[in-house]
Amino acid sequence: MSDTAERVKKIVVEHLGVEPAKVTENAVFIDDLGADSLDIVELVMAFEEEFGVEIPDDAAEKITTVKDAITYIDEHTA
Amino acid sequence: MRRVVVTGLGLVTPVGADVETAWKNIIASKSGAATITRFDATDFQSNYACEVKAPDHEWGFDANKRVDHKIQRQVDPFIVYGIDAAGQALEDAGLTDMSEEERFRAGCSIGSGIGGLPGIESESLVLAAKGPKRVSPHFVHGRLINLISGQVSIKYGLMGPNHAVVTACSTGAHSIGDAARMIAMDDADVMLAGGAESTVCPIGIAGFGQARALSTGFRDDPTRASRPWDKDRDGFVMGEGAGVLVLEEYERAKARGAKIYAEVLGYGLSGDAYHVTAPHPEGSGAFRSMEMAVRKSGLALSDIDYINAHGTSTPLGDELELGAVRRLFGDALEGVSMSSTKSAIGHLLGGAGAVESIFCILAMRDGIVPPTLNLDNPSDNCVGVDLVPHVAKERKVKAVLNNSFGFGGTNASLVMRAI
């Protein structure tokens, strides 16, 4: 697992209080990890802080899985 | 009118995070006061409080027992305490598995005096330092006073009245009184009623300190600081925690064979119409609140065995309450024991009336009245009144009066009777 993936997973586990094993790359935040729309806003904020990226609202709306988050962050960090 | 009884209790306090631990410590004259651990309060007006203890403490509170990790992160501590105390009370009453039909008639009236002050403080600092896009999306609903009732209703599926009182330090008593009326008036059959508070944070201590309300002179031994009616008292000690009761319609409780702790018999309310923080100089509001509660209960003054006083350990308030009690009870005061459990757990503000009502109920259950700690030199007005100094006292307790008075000049009194 890449460094980005590890850090994303850690944030998801901490914020949603889910078992680390459930946070697979294909896990859907709302359907698989019990998040609601405000939890996703909070997760996006945490990703922005952790990785020093800005994730605009229209991009954030497309982030529905753990993998979406990792891909976006990898594409927008040096 | 339908009769209302108490069938479940839940407590989170600075001397124990469940009913039996807290009560055992109260009766054993233990104090929850200590130097503040949440933040460095060295340079504050007061550096001590009665905090709910960490999970590794003998009397500690483990939020993980009843509150999801995710919710713990999103909401202020007063909500976490309230959810836990409500869960304890429902479990105690054996009502965690009600049918949908029953849950339509079961509601919540759990308030708070101030609400999520620590979170308002910390998110304001985030806003100032990092801007609006870094403020938590859970900021608002993690701080709102009615969100104990909201969270509890969601967790347990309670679809009856969803209410939250906000009357400063009278909140807990008003919550119980209002909820009892909802049952009496047939709005609900079961109500979770109580209050919670957690304002041991820099802005909370600074604010009450500036209002000249806090005890400041006992940095060397905070356990001596809360001393209602004592000559050396110098303000209240901030406490935190929650108390929640299950109130239930009597016939329903009897039919299901519930354990019935007490009947809520009388509820009195009044306003001082005098000053925002100072009590009325003749204790007029306190007097009328108590008088109404006793009158509505149908009991005689001589039936009251124990008064759990508001007794915050402030120079003015303690004397005025005692004076009002004297005037109301007259000769009947001879048979009454009166104490302030704030001497042990501090002032739980919006949680106080509910926590203290639970102590009243336990006093009836066990035939023992809790002590007023640190009452070394009672003030001159105390002569002839049994204020239960230092140690608990075994005695018959069949009926109780509980007082709560709050900023804004709001007063509430409850009369309960063993059943």
Side-chain angles (χ1 to χ4, degrees):
Chain A
M1 199 179 274
S2 71
D3 172 58
T4 306
E6 285 290 349
R7 285 155 72 194
V8 164
K9 187 171 161 178
K10 192 163 169 251
I11 289 169
V12 172
V13 167
E14 171 59 23
H15 280 70
L16 300 180
V18 289
E19 290 295 319
K22 289 179 83 176
V23 188
T24 61
E25 296 214 352
N26 291 325
V28 180
F29 290 122
I30 290 180
D31 296 339
D32 299 329
L33 302 177
D36 62 24
S37 59
L38 292 180
D39 293 330
I40 293 177
V41 174
E42 201 180 20
L43 279 175
V44 167
M45 275 171 50
F47 297 149
E48 289 180 328
E49 285 274 308
E50 172 75 14
F51 296 99
V53 291
E54 194 182 331
I55 309 177
D57 284 354
D58 57 343
E61 278 168 23
K62 296 192 186 98
I63 296 177
T64 60
T65 67
V66 175
K67 192 177 182 180
D68 292 340
I70 296 166
T71 306
Y72 184 92
I73 291 160
D74 280 341
E75 284 173 0
H76 292 82
T77 46
Chain B
M1 293 270 256
R2 309 193 318 157
R3 294 171 66 184
V4 182
V5 293
V6 180
T7 59
L9 307 175
L11 278 179
V12 175
T13 79
V15 295
D18 64 88
V19 170
E20 299 310 329
T21 303
W23 181 235
K24 190 181 73 179
N25 283 329
I26 286 285
I27 291 305
S29 303
K30 299 275 171 63
S31 166
T35 302
I36 291 171
T37 63
R38 301 280 160 75
F39 66 98
D40 180 0
T42 308
D43 296 331
F44 283 64
Q45 297 92 331
S46 180
N47 74 337
Y48 47 87
C50 293
E51 293 173 316
V52 168
K53 306 296 182 273
D56 58 354
H57 189 282
E58 188 189 345
W59 319 327
F61 170 63
D62 181 3
N64 296 322
K65 266 191 190 167
R66 293 185 185 82
V67 187
D68 290 347
H69 170 87
K70 195 171 90 171
I71 289 172
Q72 288 179 44
R73 287 191 72 261
Q74 294 173 357
V75 307
D76 250 66
F78 84 100
I79 298 178
V80 174
Y81 298 156
I83 297 171
D84 186 273
Q88 291 178 40
L90 269 183
E91 290 161 22
D92 185 34
L95 291 176
T96 49
D97 291 315
M98 286 187 279
S99 69
E100 187 181 43
E101 196 107 325
E102 288 177 290
R103 288 184 286 112
F104 280 127
R105 301 272 304 164
C108 299
S109 168
I110 309 170
S112 176
I114 301 180
L117 204 53
I120 291 171
E121 176 173 42
S122 60
E123 288 298 303
S124 296
L125 296 173
V126 170
L127 174 66
K130 298 182 175 176
K133 298 284 275 183
R134 284 293 173 271
V135 171
S136 166
H138 301 290
F139 170 65
V140 175
H141 51 268
R143 321 274 94 73
L144 287 178
I145 281 175
N146 70 304
L147 259 288
I148 303 174
S149 286
Q151 290 279 5
V152 168
S153 71
I154 294 163
K155 183 173 166 75
Y156 295 101
L158 309 180
M159 296 174 281
N162 203 269
H163 182 58
V165 171
V166 185
T167 49
C169 306
S170 300
T171 298
H174 276 136
S175 298
I176 295 167
D178 287 1
R181 286 195 176 170
M182 287 178 196
I183 294 172
M185 301 284 286
D186 205 14
D187 299 330
D189 296 328
V190 174
M191 288 293 292
L192 281 163
E197 204 78 75
S198 177
T199 54
V200 185
C201 61
I203 195 78
I205 297 292
F208 278 105
Q210 288 300 85
R212 305 295 188 267
L214 292 181
S215 164
T216 59
F218 294 85
R219 286 185 179 233
D220 293 343
D221 185 0
T223 64
R224 294 178 55 236
S226 188
R227 42 198 315 117
W229 300 296
D230 186 82
K231 282 180 176 165
D232 293 328
R233 69 189 187 277
D234 70 340
F236 80 78
V237 176
M238 191 180 285
E240 61 168 351
V244 177
L245 297 77
V246 173
L247 304 185
E248 193 166 351
E249 192 271 322
Y250 173 62
E251 296 296 337
R252 179 199 138 91
K254 203 170 64 169
R256 74 179 181 91
K259 165 181 61 186
I260 297 177
Y261 286 100
E263 180 168 9
V264 182
L265 276 185
Y267 176 31
L269 322 78
S270 72
D272 276 2
Y274 174 69
H275 187 269
V276 283
T277 59
H280 188 282
E282 280 138 33
S284 128
F287 180 91
R288 286 179 290 110
S289 170
M290 288 188 280
E291 191 277 329
M292 187 192 294
V294 175
R295 176 165 41 86
K296 295 247 173 169
S297 75
L299 298 181
L301 287 161
S302 56
D303 292 328
I304 305 289
D305 299 305
Y306 172 62
I307 302 172
N308 189 299
H310 186 57
T312 56
S313 190
T314 54
L316 262 181
D318 292 6
E319 299 289 337
L320 291 170
E321 181 179 16
L322 185 59
V325 167
R326 254 191 213 286
R327 274 187 292 129
L328 178 66
F329 278 76
D331 292 343
L333 193 54
E334 209 162 297
V336 177
S337 297
M338 172 158 114
S339 66
S340 170
T341 42
K342 289 187 179 80
S343 59
I345 60 171
H347 190 355
L348 270 69
L349 310 177
V355 168
E356 291 158 14
S357 288
I358 291 173
F359 291 153
C360 285
I361 288 166
L362 297 169
M364 291 193 280
R365 184 192 70 178
D366 294 348
I368 188 163
V369 290
T372 303
L373 306 187
N374 299 313
L375 185 47
D376 300 331
N377 297 298
S379 68
D380 298 339
N381 291 335
C382 298
V383 178
V385 184
D386 176 19
L387 296 170
V388 202
H390 304 298
V391 289
K393 178 175 165 180
E394 287 186 28
R395 60 159 292 165
K396 165 188 77 79
V397 190
K398 292 290 177 207
V400 296
L401 170 67
N402 181 28
N403 282 337
S404 290
F405 312 135
F407 278 2
T410 174
N411 313 295
S413 300
L414 293 165
V415 170
M416 292 181 289
R417 176 177 64 179
I419 194 164

